[in-house]
Amino acid sequence: MERLGDALLLLVLLTDLALLVTDRLSGSIRLVALQGVLLGLAPLTLAHGASLHLAAIVAGTIAIKAVVLPRILLWAIREAEVRHERQPSIGHLPSLLLGLAVTGIAFLVAARLPALPGNSLPLLIPVALSTLMIGFLLLTSRRKALSQVLGYLVLENGIYLFGLTLADRLPLLVEMGVLLDVFVGALIMGLVVFQIQRELETLDSRELSQLTD
Amino acid sequence: MTALAALPPLCALVLAPLLPGIITRTRCWLTGRRGPPLLQTYTDIGKLLAKGAVYSRTTTAVFRAGPLVGLAAVVTAAAMVPFGTAAAPLAFPGDLILLCGLLALMRFATVLAALDTGSAFEGMGASREVQFAALAEPALVLALAVVVRSTGNLSLSGAFGALTSAAWASEGAALVLVLGTLFVVYLTENARVPVDDPGTHLELTMIHEVMVLDHGGPDLGLIHYAAALKLWVLGALLVGVALPVQDLMPWAGLLVALAGMLVLAVLVGVVETVMARLKLLRVPQLLVGATALAVLAVVLVMRGRVG
């Protein structure tokens, strides 16, 4: 199971990097959905034996992260009629290079962290850290409100990966609560995106930094 | 040197022109055409070598030296790449840098010869070739660095010799990424779709073909042969990483590696059929993406060894 887990985590990292260079918003949303599926499957490779708790986490994560949230976001871009993230404040290729640098740093940092008991996947912590930081990079360097939502989701995926180290001990209720929070957050953001588009006729978040009456 | 050790370089020299034939046949087969015979490249080269050459009065010795230097460089490179279980005839620690240098020298000779004609078209082709090469080279060097790092052996023959299924078991993830990088480099360096279209003869879209427009007769024959050899040399690297044949008997290893080359050529043909050429502005993104894979692989093999 460890090899499979490593392969899953590597794919998560590859979707992170692919997100940095994708300029089509529907493509980015599908990548985030794919990442959701990968994250949903990840607990299976960590767990020791099947349990109801595990099945609930897997099903809940995939349902929310890979089906519901992407649906909402796809609806939002269809309604708001935005297709591309053109000219982010850091270009696609520089942001890919930054993403790689961040990944390298994540691996360096993770090597210095004390090993967590019960974590059988050596890639888990570095991938969680890089996903977190790449999410942050997306969140800060993109201009379209919708891309920023995607950045937030990637950031949250990184936190989720960190949480996986505790998957065996974490009560189901807490997991579900976190998922619900993310779901509500993304729902509200989807609606806000739609409203911004209706009021300002653009999704460029720079417009929001100026005050007018 | 035993007979078996002499076989892989001979294979390279003799079988290399078969690869373009296989690629073209795959393309034709997939699009419902019959296509030229598999041995077309041999007959083309034979025909060209029998012809006389015509040189423009504006060209100098640089133009005439281009194809010769290119061929010499790639033949030397072919002697350095291990194939099957046998070590290459030419092997020493750090030879992968020389390999990259020889490929660069070959490109440099072609580019200089293109510029020497003073033709605007060829200058444009040369500029594009150099631009893409500058992006493909770091990807190639990094990919080879991963192979070296994961086997702990500094020469190509040594590194590929140590690349057994055990190496795949411990560094599999990094090696898969390296394969991705090497495949993109393979398509770029050999001027295949999606980077360049070897079938086109429209000067505005092609890269490699446009650089050799003014070459004719034996010179063009040498260029075709050198291109086929380059296809073989880089393919041997790719197959060497993909198929850990070191555990096999020498003969079986050689056969498996040859089968790998065949599959690789068919794969290139399939890629050429299902993909269109990328926009020129997109190509650097593809290459930087390939480099990113290689960097990730480097990070993976370096993990736990620093800090």
Side-chain angles (χ1 to χ4, degrees):
Chain A
M1 290 311 257
E2 274 99 55
R3 305 209 58 83
L4 201 64
D6 273 355
L8 272 180
L9 289 171
L10 203 60
L11 283 174
V12 170
L13 199 49
L14 287 180
T15 50
D16 286 340
L17 295 177
L19 270 170
L20 287 172
V21 285
T22 317
D23 61 351
R24 199 173 293 170
L25 284 176
S26 59
S28 302
I29 294 173
R30 295 212 168 86
L31 277 171
V32 170
L34 174 66
Q35 197 171 58
V37 175
L38 296 170
L39 291 184
L41 294 176
L44 287 178
T45 63
L46 265 176
H48 317 287
S51 65
L52 192 65
H53 177 191
L54 184 69
I57 291 181
V58 171
T61 311
I62 292 184
I64 301 264
K65 282 185 192 289
V67 182
V68 180
L69 293 182
R71 282 272 169 93
I72 296 173
L73 295 175
L74 282 172
W75 168 82
I77 62 166
R78 197 172 57 237
E79 292 295 314
E81 293 181 342
V82 281
R83 302 252 140 69
H84 296 278
E85 169 78 41
R86 292 192 205 285
Q87 297 182 325
S89 48
I90 303 176
H92 287 110
L93 285 186
S95 62
L96 176 64
L97 295 181
L98 265 178
L100 283 172
V102 157
T103 308
I105 293 170
F107 272 85
L108 274 181
V109 170
R112 282 156 193 267
L113 289 178
L116 281 163
N119 174 19
S120 53
L121 294 179
L123 280 183
L124 184 59
I125 297 300
V127 170
L129 273 175
S130 4
T131 306
L132 204 91
M133 290 200 272
I134 288 174
F136 199 62
L137 187 63
L138 283 168
L139 194 54
T140 45
S141 71
R142 297 295 146 102
R143 286 183 175 157
K144 292 268 161 51
L146 203 112
S147 312
Q148 295 174 350
V149 176
L150 290 175
Y152 164 75
L153 288 178
V154 173
L155 186 73
E156 201 281 326
N157 284 346
I159 298 170
Y160 171 88
L161 277 176
F162 255 127
L164 275 186
T165 49
L166 302 169
D168 281 349
R169 278 151 283 173
L170 211 58
L172 183 60
L173 206 59
V174 176
E175 295 269 347
M176 289 295 148
V178 171
L179 271 178
L180 188 68
D181 272 357
V182 176
F183 169 63
V184 173
L187 186 65
I188 293 171
M189 283 190 279
L191 289 172
V192 168
V193 163
F194 181 54
Q195 290 294 336
I196 293 175
Q197 168 73 18
R198 225 171 53 178
E199 290 297 319
L200 301 176
E201 316 232 308
T202 172
L203 267 185
D204 196 329
S205 57
R206 279 174 303 172
E207 300 280 331
L208 298 177
S209 55
Q210 290 164 353
L211 281 177
T212 49
D213 27 38
Chain B
M1 189 152 65
T2 63
L4 197 62
L7 212 51
L10 273 181
C11 278
L13 292 179
V14 175
L15 294 180
L18 201 57
L19 291 178
I22 297 173
I23 295 175
T24 315
R25 271 313 268 273
T26 313
R27 263 181 108 163
C28 292
W29 182 65
L30 285 172
T31 48
R33 291 172 288 154
R34 182 182 296 163
L38 278 177
L39 301 180
Q40 185 64 44
T41 319
Y42 292 97
T43 41
D44 278 352
I45 293 173
K47 180 186 74 184
L48 287 168
L49 286 180
K51 286 186 173 181
V54 179
Y55 295 103
S56 149
R57 258 175 287 124
T58 57
T59 59
T60 61
V62 174
F63 180 77
R64 297 181 188 216
L68 292 174
V69 174
L71 184 63
V74 77
V75 167
T76 318
M80 293 170 52
V81 176
F83 192 69
T85 54
L90 200 59
F92 53 90
D95 54 1
L96 55 137
I97 303 292
L98 180 60
L99 178 76
C100 298
L102 283 170
L103 293 177
L105 176 65
M106 178 186 178
R107 189 177 312 113
F108 181 67
T110 318
V111 165
L112 270 193
L115 290 175
D116 194 42
T117 60
S119 145
F121 270 145
E122 298 200 20
M124 191 188 65
S127 136
R128 289 176 181 172
E129 169 98 357
V130 173
Q131 186 203 353
F132 295 158
L135 292 164
E137 197 160 84
L140 178 64
V141 174
L142 281 173
L144 290 177
V146 171
V147 175
V148 164
R149 183 80 212 195
S150 56
T151 55
N153 209 314
L154 264 178
S155 81
L156 275 177
S157 291
F160 279 76
L163 203 64
T164 53
S165 31
W168 262 93
S170 62
E171 300 286 358
L175 290 177
V176 169
L177 294 176
V178 163
L179 278 184
T181 307
L182 280 180
F183 191 63
V184 175
V185 169
Y186 188 69
L187 294 176
T188 309
E189 286 276 343
N190 291 307
R192 315 300 310 190
V193 179
V195 175
D196 188 5
D197 191 347
T200 182
H201 279 281
L202 192 67
E203 289 92 337
L204 287 176
T205 58
M206 58 197 191
I207 301 167
H208 183 77
E209 289 291 313
V210 76
M211 288 199 301
V212 300
L213 270 182
D214 274 68
H215 290 280
D219 287 341
L220 190 59
L222 293 185
I223 287 173
H224 279 330
Y225 184 56
L229 261 181
K230 193 174 178 188
L231 211 54
W232 182 280
V233 168
L234 285 166
L237 287 181
L238 198 53
V239 169
V241 177
L243 302 172
V245 293
Q246 304 302 328
D247 313 330
L248 299 173
M249 299 293 290
W251 283 105
L254 188 62
L255 284 179
V256 170
L258 284 174
M261 293 298 277
L262 181 72
V263 172
L264 176 63
V266 171
L267 196 62
V268 173
V270 171
V271 168
E272 297 211 330
T273 316
V274 298
M275 281 188 80
R277 242 189 84 242
L278 288 175
K279 272 193 284 184
L280 276 177
L281 290 174
R282 284 272 175 193
V283 174
Q285 293 193 2
L286 176 77
L287 288 170
V288 173
T291 315
L293 289 185
V295 171
L296 205 54
V298 170
V299 168
L300 282 176
V301 292
M302 296 292 282
R303 173 191 48 160
R305 294 178 199 181
V306 279

